[in-house]
Every structure is written in structure tokens, then in C-alpha cells.
């Protein structure tokens, strides 16, 4: 499937969610994290998802990023029903098209900063030296090249977040999904990341960002609000 936005902007929406619902079954019963969500995202959009803690933002982003599945409803990605994709097709799309920045970084402690950033490239037929060169370039974008040989535990929270951003960009994704990308950054570094997002969107990449920060939400083209799993 080609979800490429910057080179081939198609007429149809990139993402269509119809009556999307996500239920978690716990000992306490069924917890509906996402309720009947309808959302259309066009190629090249830059949208922010806002809402209080626990309202379902990370759950929605995980479904958009093919990291989780909905309980019911439809998810069409570039016209294809995501439910019809097998596990390999999902992994392929995730690896080629989607950059994901997790709320909790998810860096691997045993790998250096450079190795962490290069990791998504290991699924490509590419020589190690080339992978490392691309990873270093990605680190330069977030001003972290000088920490390439450090391990995640040797970095501040904000620095780890910048490495996580570099890792999400290393595959040159057409869709960037970011869960609170500035949540652990001081205002200077948060500004660096937001400027980078502006650039990435101007290049044609589709960005969907969860943020509590209204200053940054306003820099996107569209803000949607989630409240208790319901999109307003
Ligand atoms: N694996 C899970 N099992 C059961 N319930 C879950 C699971 N993951 C999330 N939930 C529940 O789904 C709801 C939404 O969680 P989610 O992490 O999406 O919220 P959020 O909006 O990202 O919150 P925050 O702003 O604090 O990150 C919460 O009530 C949470 O308890
Ligand atoms: Mg969250």
C-alpha cells in the first residue's frame, strides 16, 4: 500500500475513522476508552488532539499507528480497511510510512542513542554504515548528534524525548504520530521540536499530535477535542 503523502497526494482522505470504539476488559468490567469516534484526516494535515488525562488520546493514537486495534467501527488508511491487513502488512506499513513518538519514549536501554535511532532501519536491506549515517543525520535534526554514543539512562528526560523524535523520523515517514512530544521538554527544546514539526508538515508530511499545551496545539492546522472517549 502506498500511503505516501509528499510525493503523491491523492484525492481521497488519508485516514477515515467511522464509529470507532475501543473497549478494554478489566477485572472491574469493560472500560470504553474510545466511543463512536468519526474523524477524517487528509494527506498533509497537521492536527492536534487535546483533552484531559484518561480521555483516550493515547489509545486513539495507538490505533491510528496500527499498534492497537479497535473493538468496532471502521478504520480506512489510504482507502484500505485496516482490519483486512494481516500482521505482516500492518508491520510493513508501520515501518515504512508511520513515525511514532511515544508518550514514554520507549528507548532501549542496552543500545546507544545512535543504535536506538538506527533500529527502525534494521528491517531494510541497507549496510550498517549507511544506517548509521542516516541515523546520525536524524540526530542532527534534533540537536542530539553529540550524544550519539551515550545510553538513554545517561540522558535527561528532554534529551531522551529528542532521541525518540529522531528515531521516529529516521524512516522518513509520511505520517507522524506524536504523543505529547513536548511534554518533557523545556520551552527552548519544545520550540525546536515544534519548528521541526512545522518543517515536516511543510514538506507534505501528515502530522497528528497529542498535546496538552494550547500554545503548541495552535500551531497545528486543526484541533480536535476528546472528552471521555468522545470526539467533540
Ligand atoms: N491496556 C489497558 N487496559 C485497560 N484500560 C486501559 C488500557 N489502556 C488504557 N486504558 C484506559 O483507557 C482510558 C484512556 O487511556 P489513554 O491512555 O488513552 O488516556 P490519555 O488521554 O492518553 O491520558 P493521558 O493524558 O494521561 O496520557 C483510561 O481510562 C485508561 O485507564
Ligand atoms: Mg496518553
Amino acid at each position: 500500500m502506498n500511503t505516501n503523502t509528499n510525493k503523491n497526494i491523492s484525492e481521497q482522505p488519508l485516514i477515515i475513522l467511522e464509529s470507532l470504539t475501543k473497549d478494554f476488559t478489566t477485572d472491574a468490567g469493560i472500560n470504553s476508552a474510545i466511543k463512536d469516534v468519526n474523524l477524517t484526516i487528509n494527506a498533509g494535515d497537521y492536527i492536534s488532539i487535546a483533552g484531559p488525562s484518561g480521555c483516550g488520546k493515547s489509545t486513539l493514537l495507538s490505533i491510528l499507528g496500527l499498534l492497537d486495534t479497535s473493538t468496532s467501527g471502521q478504520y480506512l488508511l489510504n482507502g484500505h480497511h485496516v482490519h483486512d491487513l494481516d500482521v505482516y502488512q500492518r508491520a510493513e506499513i508501520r515501518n515504512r510510512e508511520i513515525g511514532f513518538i511515544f508518550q514514554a519514549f520507549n528507548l532501549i536501554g542496552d543500545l546507544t542513542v545512535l543504535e536506538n535511532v538506527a533500529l527502525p532501519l534494521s528491517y531494510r536491506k541497507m549496510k550498517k554504515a549507511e544506517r548509521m549515517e542516516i541515523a546520525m543525520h536524524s540526530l542532527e535534526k534534533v540537536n542530539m548528534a553529540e550524544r550519539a554514543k551515550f545510553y538513554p539512562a545517561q540522558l535527561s528526560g528532554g534529551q531522551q524525548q529528542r532521541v525518540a523524535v529522531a528515531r521516529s523520523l529516521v524512516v522518513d515517514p509520511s505520517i507522524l504520530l506524536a504523543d505529547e512530544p513536548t511534554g518533557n521538554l523545556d520551552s527552548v527544546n519544545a520550540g525546536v521540536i515544534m519548528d521541526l514539526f512545522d518543517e515536516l508538515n511543510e514538506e507534505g508530511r501528515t502530522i497528528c499530535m497529542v498535546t496538552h499545551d494550547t500554545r503548541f496545539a495552535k500551531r497545528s492546522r486543526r484541533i480536535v477535542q476528546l472528552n471521555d472517549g468522545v470526539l467533540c
Side-chain angles (χ1 to χ4, degrees):
M1 186 197 309
N2 177 20
T3 53
N4 208 333
T5 57
N6 36 349
K7 293 150 203 152
N8 178 23
I9 294 177
S10 61
E11 293 297 314
Q12 69 187 353
L14 178 65
I15 288 169
I16 300 174
L17 304 182
E18 283 173 357
S19 298
L20 203 83
T21 296
K22 177 68 181 180
D23 297 332
F24 289 109
T25 305
T26 67
D27 291 345
I30 291 177
N31 182 6
S32 295
I34 296 291
K35 297 167 191 158
D36 203 23
V37 162
N38 296 296
L39 179 67
T40 298
I41 303 176
N42 291 314
D45 257 357
Y46 181 0
I47 90 162
S48 294
I49 303 174
S53 180
C55 72
K57 304 181 297 295
S58 295
T59 304
L60 180 59
L61 213 62
S62 295
I63 294 170
L64 287 174
L66 308 182
L67 296 167
D68 202 353
T69 52
S70 60
T71 308
S72 63
Q74 308 283 348
Y75 174 8
L76 280 100
L77 179 58
N78 224 23
H80 298 261
H81 282 276
V82 161
H83 265 295
D84 297 340
L85 303 173
D86 66 30
V87 68
Y88 301 104
Q89 290 170 314
R90 292 165 71 90
E92 170 80 11
I93 294 168
R94 236 180 6 239
N95 189 247
R96 292 213 166 262
E97 309 286 354
I98 301 174
F100 203 104
I101 300 163
F102 295 90
Q103 194 168 9
F105 319 141
N106 289 7
L107 297 174
I108 296 173
D110 293 345
L111 300 181
T112 65
V113 160
L114 185 65
E115 288 165 346
N116 264 283
V117 174
L119 198 60
L121 296 173
S122 57
Y123 305 101
R124 307 232 171 140
K125 285 182 185 136
M126 214 180 250
K127 289 200 172 118
K128 187 178 177 191
E130 193 183 348
R131 290 202 304 267
M132 295 304 157
E133 194 185 325
I134 295 171
M136 190 56 104
H137 184 63
S138 204
L139 279 172
E140 282 164 6
K141 280 191 169 176
V142 296
N143 296 330
M144 282 298 293
E146 78 281 6
R147 294 283 191 274
K149 290 184 179 165
F150 281 52
Y151 287 88
Q154 298 170 318
L155 303 178
S156 72
Q159 289 172 332
Q160 289 184 52
Q161 182 67 304
R162 282 149 70 195
V163 174
V165 172
R167 182 184 54 185
S168 77
L169 294 177
V170 79
V171 296
D172 194 19
S174 57
I175 306 171
L176 189 63
L177 303 174
D179 200 346
E180 290 282 1
T182 59
N184 295 289
L185 303 184
D186 59 54
S187 59
V188 172
N189 281 313
V192 168
I193 297 298
M194 287 298 97
D195 290 348
L196 184 59
F197 275 30
D198 287 348
E199 261 174 55
L200 295 167
N201 182 240
E202 275 160 26
E203 287 170 7
R205 274 174 246 260
T206 310
I207 302 178
C208 185
M209 165 175 80
V210 166
T211 183
H212 281 106
D213 195 320
T214 47
R215 284 172 309 160
F216 296 138
K218 282 180 187 156
R219 289 176 68 156
S220 65
R221 293 168 194 252
R222 186 152 62 107
I223 304 174
V224 296
Q225 182 82 25
L226 255 186
N227 275 317
D228 198 17
V230 178
L231 205 68
C232 316

